[in-house]
Amino acid sequence: MLTDELKQKIQKTYSAFLQSRELGPRHGQKLMIAEIARTLGSIESDAEGVRNSGGHVCVVEAGTGTGKTIAYLLPTIIVAKALGKKLVVSTATVALQEQIVHKDLPELRNHTDLSFSFALAKGRGRYVCLSKLDNLMSEFSSAIDPTRALYEDELPSVDAEGVKLYESMMDALASNKWDGERDSWSTRLEPNDWARVTTDHRQCTGRRCSNVSACSFFKARDALHTADCIVTNHDMVLADLALGGGAILPDPEDTIYVFDEGHHLPDKALNHFAHHSRMLSTSRWLEQCNKGLGAILGQISGAGRVDDYAEQLPGQLIECKRELDMLYPILDERIQSLAENSRDWKTNHYRFEKGIVPDNIVSQAEQLHSSFNRLTDLLSKIASELNEAMEDAHCRVPKVDLETNYPIIGTWQARAEANAGLWLSYARVDGDKSVPKARWLTLIDFNGNYDIEVCSSPILAARTLEFSLWNRAYGAVLTSATLTALGKFDRLKMRTGTPDDSRYAVVPSPFDFANGILHVPKDAVDAGDSRAHTAALVTQLPELLQPDEGSLVLFSSRRQMQDVYDELPAIWQSKILLQGENSKQEMLLAHRKKVDKGEGSVLFGLASFAEGVDLPGDYCAHVVIAKLPFAVPDDPIEASVAEWIEQGGGNAFMQITIPDASLKLIQACGRLLRTEGDTGRITLLDRRVVTKRYGKAILDSLPPFTRKIDT
């Protein structure tokens, strides 16, 4: 219960924090602190601290400028410590994690009398693997040895520039100038360069590794056990829950969770439980495994019972490949119509209506599941034997050979396991009363070579989150600047499964939204006519944009963005930074530099620029939104959700499409006012917001900007 003593401690700590930092109280921040404190303080538990009540989830929409990070950190830290629980703060982006760890938590600790420890939890993939780095450097050294005969497959896998990079990593680690974490490396790392020197749980030998005492990942992981507050990401939380909870992070029953950027949680959950595999790519991989098997077994033969299982591998690899090759023409026949009717194959999908797969594909999927399951089992047993052999001082196989080949077997096992899961999802029929899965095929173009990607995904994460997270957590807070759609939490409840007895609240932003003007020009065109709309944008943008101003133009379609850019006069093209030509961070940096020089700059961006982009003051005085951000009509998951709702007698357009567009539009408009003193204007160039019946509902859901709707 929220005792008077606990309530006073929260109030006094908040006052002390504000006074120490010479800040004034914010109304929305105070309300948010109160909502969280009431929720967590109302949780009932038995003598052993096990929760035995509901009403333990607090959902708070808090707009930009509320100060929500401190609003949730302060009460949750105090309550968690008082109850002897761990606090896990989860975000969707690395940037926010870094801000919380390096700025917000230290500030809270330094400006109050609170005593707490905290640590940052990231997955193995964010840390360098010393064993891989050692092997890579050894491979290169031996390959350039002039006394050694060179064969094609013994050539180094990295070029001279790559070697310089990895040598600098080794030097930085040896001199304690780098902690082995990707995000703390001084320069930008290309994905392929990093992939060579990191690992995952299937490849990692864990505490048996020769480099474990110096392992950056395990050093970071060990710090979690004593931390009062752990900062992590949604993927890490979901991975831990998938393993039963308590495998990586603290047990859910002993944890209070905070999900910042909480609107990303359902999509992250969907991605986590989705399956996909490419047919031809997997077939080639199985063939390559068979070819490379002899060399690997030559190094690990004699380790435990490896030989007993290994002798069965060639036949199992061949069986999986044979069954894949049998199914390919059946799937290829269904997807050929996409190739015939589209210039851009990448965006096209063949979706199985209602998630129902034809019987002939189901029967083949059953065989594939069985075969890949058997392959997974064999690889799992070999990995287990290698693991035990590393502990056996009398094993006649050198430990270095075991450590070198264990990650390879682990990688094979992970891929076989992923395929087994995919084909199981195609072999199983959805129950009549269950929420169906989305199942679809995508035609992939990779350097002129075509492949079929087979995909499966739940269409809603609600049930999974309900049982694995909300029902198990001691307490939880879900917050974001955008959680409601059309002023309601209904969309969020459907997608996240948050309990009905949760505390739902919207707290006000301190911004004066009247300082922002929302303008819908009279000559704005109905974006339903894409050609006319694109032509209108080309004409209108030079008239709307100021050449010496910082502006952001948001598009819903890459093709339209490119078409508009190509048709604009050269003088405007010189001022535009086009998404895709450079990284997002490089674009934002270049934009700021141009505005600082008084030159003016225009950012042309897609959906990723409509959220998480912080351009205060003059950096963004004008936001232009080309069209209402309706979901892409051919997205298989969204189409399956709509189909399911319609089948149940609902109206998918009003229940899904309009609320989603409303939420995305709010996020896009949120790029304008980033600080309390900001002013500017938003121009919406889609006349449908005025002419369609749903337009009023969308406009009314926006913050109270000063409206200028031309009639």
Side-chain angles (χ1 to χ4, degrees):
M1 295 296 291
L2 186 62
T3 62
D4 289 340
E5 181 182 359
L6 206 56
K7 190 185 301 182
Q8 289 176 6
K9 182 172 180 60
I10 292 172
Q11 292 171 345
K12 288 181 179 179
T13 303
Y14 180 55
S15 297
F17 177 78
L18 295 177
Q19 185 175 355
S20 177
R21 298 204 57 221
E22 298 181 347
L23 298 172
R26 301 180 186 181
H27 181 56
Q29 191 176 55
K30 290 172 64 178
L31 290 177
M32 185 169 175
I33 291 172
E35 291 289 345
I36 293 171
R38 288 193 197 100
T39 301
L40 300 181
S42 299
I43 298 173
E44 297 178 3
S45 54
D46 60 24
E48 296 179 352
V50 177
R51 178 177 60 82
N52 56 16
S53 69
H56 59 294
V57 179
C58 185
V59 181
V60 183
E61 180 178 272
T64 305
T66 304
K68 64 176 177 294
T69 310
I70 292 300
Y72 63 66
L73 286 176
L74 190 150
T76 54
I77 287 172
I78 292 174
V79 173
K81 290 210 72 174
L83 297 174
K85 304 298 180 185
K86 293 282 189 177
L87 176 63
V88 170
V89 178
S90 177
T91 76
T93 60
V94 171
L96 184 53
Q97 292 171 51
E98 299 284 355
Q99 175 194 310
I100 292 170
V101 168
H102 298 302
K103 178 179 178 290
D104 298 317
L105 284 168
E107 279 186 354
L108 186 59
R109 191 165 61 181
N110 295 338
H111 292 280
T112 66
D113 61 357
L114 293 180
S115 175
F116 60 90
S117 58
F118 56 89
L120 181 61
K122 296 182 180 180
R124 283 179 175 84
R126 307 304 296 187
Y127 296 93
V128 70
C129 172
L130 279 174
S131 295
K132 276 197 168 184
L133 188 57
D134 283 341
N135 290 340
L136 202 61
M137 297 308 296
S138 297
E139 171 194 333
F140 187 83
S141 298
S142 62
I144 62 175
D145 181 355
T147 66
R148 175 179 171 178
L150 276 178
Y151 297 92
E152 186 177 353
D153 61 351
E154 292 176 340
L155 291 171
S157 59
V158 293
D159 57 20
E161 286 300 313
V163 172
K164 287 182 182 179
L165 169 65
Y166 300 132
E167 284 178 340
S168 64
M169 286 184 174
M170 292 285 271
D171 292 342
L173 288 167
S175 59
N176 291 320
K177 293 179 179 178
W178 183 43
D179 60 3
E181 188 181 326
R182 176 177 182 172
D183 302 306
S184 61
W185 186 250
S186 56
T187 58
R188 184 174 180 269
L189 291 168
E190 294 297 329
N192 286 341
D193 291 334
W194 180 252
R196 292 191 186 101
V197 291
T198 190
T199 190
D200 57 33
H201 77 286
R202 286 295 187 205
Q203 302 176 60
C204 179
T205 57
R207 303 289 178 181
R208 296 180 174 87
C209 178
S210 300
N211 291 308
V212 67
S213 61
C215 178
S216 304
F217 169 72
F218 278 104
K219 283 181 180 178
R221 181 57 49 85
D222 290 342
L224 301 183
H225 299 303
T226 57
D228 299 311
C229 174
I230 298 169
V231 180
T232 187
N233 57 62
H234 299 343
D235 286 321
M236 178 75 82
V237 173
L238 292 165
D240 184 63
L241 295 174
L243 293 171
I248 307 168
L249 302 171
D251 289 329
E253 289 78 6
D254 292 321
T255 301
I256 293 173
Y257 294 92
V258 175
F259 294 98
D260 200 344
E261 300 174 313
H263 61 285
H264 286 294
L265 186 61
D267 287 336
K268 291 284 186 181
L270 285 182
N271 291 337
H272 196 79
F273 295 103
H275 299 282
H276 55 88
S277 180
R278 296 185 182 181
M279 297 288 288
L280 297 180
S281 174
T282 303
S283 180
R284 286 193 294 267
W285 167 71
L286 291 165
E287 187 175 10
Q288 290 166 359
C289 288
N290 224 344
K291 288 180 179 178
L293 191 56
I296 293 173
L297 296 181
Q299 295 183 45
I300 63 175
S301 178
R305 296 184 59 197
V306 162
D307 295 341
D308 295 340
Y309 303 123
E311 67 180 14
Q312 303 172 57
L313 269 181
Q316 200 60 41
L317 289 165
I318 291 170
E319 182 180 338
C320 289
K321 175 176 166 47
R322 179 180 61 81
E323 290 174 357
L324 271 179
D325 293 346
M326 286 175 58
L327 179 59
Y328 182 85
I330 299 174
L331 301 184
D332 186 50
E333 184 180 349
R334 291 187 171 267
I335 207 169
Q336 277 305 313
S337 59
L338 301 178
E340 295 169 3
N341 299 322
S342 173
R343 290 183 299 160
D344 184 2
W345 294 11
K346 297 177 191 175
T347 62
N348 283 272
H349 314 282
Y350 178 92
R351 187 175 63 85
F352 295 99
E353 291 188 9
K354 302 177 184 177
I356 299 173
V357 180
D359 291 343
N360 62 333
I361 298 178
V362 169
S363 60
Q364 194 66 40
E366 290 172 346
Q367 292 297 322
L368 279 163
H369 166 65
S370 178
S371 296
F372 274 107
N373 209 34
R374 175 63 178 155
L375 179 60
T376 301
D377 184 55
L378 287 172
L379 292 168
S380 175
K381 287 175 178 176
I382 292 173
S384 180
E385 292 296 323
L386 294 179
N387 230 332
E388 291 183 16
M390 280 184 259
E391 291 285 329
D392 184 0
H394 303 291
C395 180
R396 61 187 177 89
V397 180
K399 188 175 182 182
V400 64
D401 289 339
L402 297 172
E403 289 186 346
T404 299
N405 289 285
Y406 180 88
I408 299 174
I409 297 298
T411 302
W412 291 8
Q413 180 189 349
R415 189 159 181 176
E417 192 173 56
N419 273 274
L422 169 69
W423 296 116
L424 178 62
S425 73
Y426 269 70
R428 280 184 176 172
V429 178
D430 299 324
D432 292 338
K433 295 184 179 180
S434 64
V435 178
K437 283 186 171 62
R439 298 178 177 90
W440 71 97
L441 311 174
T442 300
L443 195 57
I444 303 294
D445 175 5
F446 182 72
N447 295 331
N449 296 313
Y450 299 104
D451 201 347
I452 297 173
E453 187 168 47
V454 185
C455 309
S456 170
S457 172
I459 62 172
L460 295 175
R463 187 62 60 88
T464 299
L465 292 173
E466 178 186 355
F467 287 105
S468 62
L469 176 59
W470 310 125
N471 287 354
R472 295 187 59 192
Y474 184 84
V477 176
L478 185 71
T479 186
S480 171
T482 48
L483 291 179
T484 60
L486 300 178
K488 299 179 181 179
F489 286 99
D490 294 355
R491 174 189 180 278
L492 181 80
K493 291 180 183 179
M494 184 184 76
R495 293 185 180 269
T496 64
T498 47
D500 289 335
D501 62 4
S502 302
R503 184 182 293 271
Y504 294 91
V506 177
V507 299
S509 166
F511 291 172
D512 183 358
F513 287 99
N515 289 333
I517 298 172
L518 174 64
H519 182 209
V520 182
K522 185 176 183 179
D523 57 355
V525 173
D526 186 323
D529 184 340
S530 59
R531 288 187 179 181
H533 185 245
T534 297
L537 291 177
V538 173
T539 302
Q540 293 164 351
L541 286 177
E543 299 173 357
L544 291 168
L545 298 173
Q546 298 297 318
D548 59 347
E549 201 171 52
S551 303
L552 172 63
V553 183
L554 296 170
F555 294 87
S556 297
S557 159
R558 182 176 297 275
R559 179 175 294 176
Q560 185 181 58
M561 179 178 74
Q562 187 67 57
D563 288 346
V564 170
Y565 175 82
D566 290 342
E567 293 295 324
L568 285 173
I571 190 171
W572 277 105
Q573 289 181 346
S574 66
K575 291 185 174 293
I576 293 170
L577 297 167
L578 189 70
Q579 183 173 355
E581 292 186 345
N582 289 297
S583 72
K584 184 177 179 180
Q585 292 307 315
E586 289 169 337
M587 285 180 63
L588 294 175
L589 181 61
H591 176 79
R592 291 188 179 98
K593 286 182 177 179
K594 290 174 73 174
V595 173
D596 287 340
K597 292 178 182 178
E599 297 176 0
S601 177
V602 181
L603 287 164
F604 268 29
L606 301 169
S608 61
F609 274 76
E611 181 183 359
V613 170
D614 192 23
L615 295 169
D618 293 338
Y619 294 127
C620 186
H622 190 186
V623 175
V624 179
I625 301 169
K627 63 187 294 187
L628 292 173
F630 290 118
V632 178
D634 68 344
D635 180 87
I637 296 178
E638 294 298 327
S640 296
V641 173
E643 185 178 64
W644 176 63
I645 288 175
E646 298 281 356
Q647 189 178 358
N651 184 325
F653 186 73
M654 296 306 298
Q655 292 177 242
I656 299 293
T657 306
I658 295 301
D660 281 3
S662 164
L663 188 144
K664 291 174 184 175
L665 185 61
I666 292 171
Q667 290 171 340
C669 292
R671 298 316 96 206
L672 182 68
L673 304 181
R674 306 304 299 170
T675 68
E676 291 187 47
D678 283 355
T679 61
R681 61 200 185 281
I682 300 164
T683 304
L684 178 56
L685 295 175
D686 188 344
R687 198 64 186 172
R688 289 178 297 181
V689 79
V690 177
T691 60
K692 301 296 184 181
R693 285 188 299 172
Y694 55 74
K696 185 177 186 302
I698 289 178
L699 286 174
D700 289 347
S701 70
L702 295 174
F705 297 112
T706 299
R707 292 189 190 179
K708 184 183 177 184
I709 312 297
D710 295 345
T711 56

